[in-house]
Amino acid sequence: MKQAELEREADAFADRLSELLNGTLCRGLRITAASLPSGYVLVGLGVKKTQVRAQQIPLRGSGARVPLHLTVQYTLHDDDEGEHLMVSSSVLGLCISEDGNRELFHADFERDKADGYPEAHLQVHATSKDWAAFLSDASNDSLNKIHLPAGGRRYRTTLEDMIEFLIAEGAVKPHNGWRDVITKHRADFEERQLRAAIRRNPAVAVAAVVALRSQET
Amino acid sequence: MTHRNVGAFPQNLKGRGNVTKASSRGEKSMSVMDAVRRGPTTVRLSEDDAVRAARLALRDAGYTFDDLVRQAASGDFETIGAQLTWQAVRHIGDPGAE
């Protein structure tokens, strides 16, 4: 994929994120992207020529006592065939400080993660006696260092999931019509994932279609 | 739309266009969405731009490139800020000292 084409795809990706966030929790927010000479594109709030790390997104909490902030940062690249845009890594998180240091949890995705941990995982900042008992036998000594599996490459935790979680738990005040926005964006994500799964497994896809056709006749 | 209603006003608009002031005076003004749509969504960085941006990111985060290499290799980052910075600078490389 040529750089200009990659950037057009990145534009569309970032604009979809802006639409999702502005249609559910935020107003007037614009997600932007920076295209690097290495062929990667960084995406997040405030990303520009002089700032490649995303800023935290402030949220209006339902009680307004906790300064909730959403972490949203994606790294994009083209796929091995150079034909489609793909997410190389993403970090979606929730914290209660503007600098992001008071973190509650985050959902990571890192394609081809080399350290043996799941590509898609959750890391939670919390403590409990039972977790402490488990951790005493594990290789990491605190819960926030444990990589809880979260759906794998195709069905990883999405921004739609994070937003829905915040609303369902009553932590934020959503805009009217938020559910339709989530549904539309989730359907779009799932269709993209399905298309990618079919490209990676054409024989399985063909067999499934043949089976459907035989049922119809 | 006034500033009061803007949940998350984008930092990259600060100092540009004076959207809030124009709105509050009732002058001919642009909507916030018109304002945020100005300029490209994706900017292209040259090699020099990328090196400068990586230096700034590392300085703001308070880490060296090697610090983040070590944290990444261990599978754990000290903070989410360290992780976000690593995800950004790893595709640029060590920018070295200015």
Side-chain angles (χ1 to χ4, degrees):
Chain A
M1 191 183 285
K2 290 180 180 171
Q3 192 173 8
E5 192 180 344
L6 182 69
E7 289 165 0
R8 277 196 299 275
E9 295 271 340
D11 275 358
F13 181 89
D15 289 346
R16 283 197 299 275
L17 294 180
S18 298
E19 185 183 283
L20 171 60
L21 287 160
N22 289 323
T24 52
L25 302 179
C26 306
R27 288 202 192 280
L29 178 143
R30 189 188 189 197
I31 300 294
T32 50
S35 171
L36 303 178
S38 57
Y40 287 86
V41 180
L42 303 166
V43 181
L45 179 65
V47 170
K48 54 188 177 182
K49 200 167 258 189
T50 53
Q51 183 174 316
V52 286
R53 189 189 118 179
Q55 297 169 347
Q56 303 290 326
I57 298 172
L59 300 175
R60 290 186 310 159
S62 59
R65 279 174 295 186
V66 179
L68 274 180
H69 285 75
L70 193 59
T71 304
V72 178
Q73 183 171 295
Y74 290 85
T75 309
L76 310 177
H77 198 261
D78 56 359
D79 64 8
D80 291 343
E81 292 76 28
E83 292 180 359
H84 300 276
L85 185 76
M86 67 178 192
V87 173
S88 172
S89 66
S90 63
V91 183
L92 303 172
L94 190 65
C95 54
I96 53 170
S97 63
E98 190 173 356
D99 61 11
N101 285 336
R102 295 179 64 196
E103 186 188 346
L104 298 174
F105 74 95
H106 70 263
D108 274 340
F109 171 64
E110 190 178 335
R111 198 174 286 270
D112 301 318
K113 194 166 170 56
D115 51 20
Y117 294 122
E119 283 187 335
H121 60 262
L122 285 172
Q123 290 183 256
V124 183
H125 288 247
T127 56
S128 81
K129 278 196 305 185
D130 292 340
W131 271 111
F134 167 77
L135 292 166
S136 66
D137 289 334
S139 56
N140 283 314
D141 58 1
S142 59
L143 179 54
N144 66 293
K145 293 181 180 177
I146 295 290
H147 302 70
L148 301 164
R153 183 178 292 189
R154 292 268 167 260
Y155 303 104
R156 58 186 184 263
T157 304
T158 63
L159 183 55
E160 289 84 353
D161 297 334
M162 294 284 285
I163 292 168
E164 189 175 55
F165 153 75
L166 288 167
I167 295 169
E169 297 297 341
V172 291
K173 290 177 183 169
H175 301 325
N176 291 336
W178 67 269
R179 199 181 299 275
D180 291 342
V181 176
I182 293 274
T183 300
K184 172 178 172 277
H185 282 265
R186 181 173 281 146
D188 181 61
F189 172 78
E190 289 175 352
E191 184 176 319
R192 286 169 194 279
Q193 293 303 95
L194 180 59
R195 287 177 187 278
I198 289 171
R199 286 196 299 273
R200 294 284 168 264
N201 305 279
V204 174
V206 168
V209 171
V210 168
L212 277 174
R213 282 187 178 154
S214 68
Q215 285 174 10
E216 288 171 357
T217 55
Chain B
M1 182 179 291
T2 65
H3 194 175
R4 192 169 52 250
N5 293 330
V6 177
F9 205 73
Q11 295 295 309
N12 58 2
L13 271 179
K14 281 184 176 173
R16 292 192 203 174
N18 213 0
V19 176
T20 307
K21 196 173 179 183
S23 296
S24 62
R25 285 177 177 176
E27 294 171 355
K28 187 176 179 182
S29 62
M30 68 191 103
S31 74
V32 170
M33 282 315 293
D34 286 341
V36 298
R37 283 188 186 118
R38 288 199 310 183
T41 298
T42 303
V43 292
R44 184 181 294 184
L45 273 62
S46 67
E47 293 281 357
D48 286 347
D49 291 334
V51 166
R52 270 195 294 273
R55 280 199 193 113
L56 284 170
L58 289 166
R59 188 198 66 190
D60 290 348
Y63 294 104
T64 65
F65 190 83
D66 286 344
D67 290 336
L68 297 183
V69 168
R70 276 191 289 276
Q71 291 185 39
S74 74
D76 291 305
F77 291 90
E78 289 176 3
T79 62
I80 193 79
Q83 183 170 357
L84 295 176
T85 304
W86 171 246
Q87 293 296 352
V89 302
R90 64 182 296 195
H91 300 300
I92 298 172
D94 188 349
E98 203 161 350

